[in-house]
Amino acid sequence: MSAALKKEQLGAEGYARMIDTTTRLNTPGPDLAALEGVHALTDVTGFGLAGHALELARGARCTVELDWPAVPLLPGV
């Protein structure tokens, strides 16, 4: 959605959905950061879920397995 916005191809409904979703994404961050054993957090905006999962995995020198059918998608994406 952000890529479509940059190309001026995102309508008002899509923009509203993007803003609603992206402003809620980071709200659990402080609670998650307080959990024992948590050493890193990221949002999934700029590079998406796969890009940020890869970044975290590389930083932790581990692998990540995603269950793609279980990943919710925004309508129109």
Side-chain angles (χ1 to χ4, degrees), residues 1 5 11 14 22 27-28 39 42 56 60 62 67 70 72-73:
M1 291 182 133
L5 177 65
T22 57
T27 54
H39 302 283
T42 186
L56 286 170
C62 67
D67 180 5
L73 299 177

Side-chain angles (χ1 to χ4, degrees), residues 1 17-18 20-21 24-25 44 48-50 66-77:
M1 291 182 133
R17 193 173 326 132
M18 180 186 76
D20 177 61
T21 303
R24 283 186 289 125
L25 288 175
V44 294
L49 177 60
L66 299 173
D67 180 5
W68 287 112
V71 175
L73 299 177
L74 294 172
V77 174

Side-chain angles (χ1 to χ4, degrees), residues 43-70:
D43 62 22
V44 294
T45 49
F47 294 107
L49 177 60
H52 285 286
L54 178 61
E55 182 179 74
L56 286 170
R58 285 179 175 166
R61 296 186 179 144
C62 67
T63 59
V64 172
E65 185 174 318
L66 299 173
D67 180 5
W68 287 112

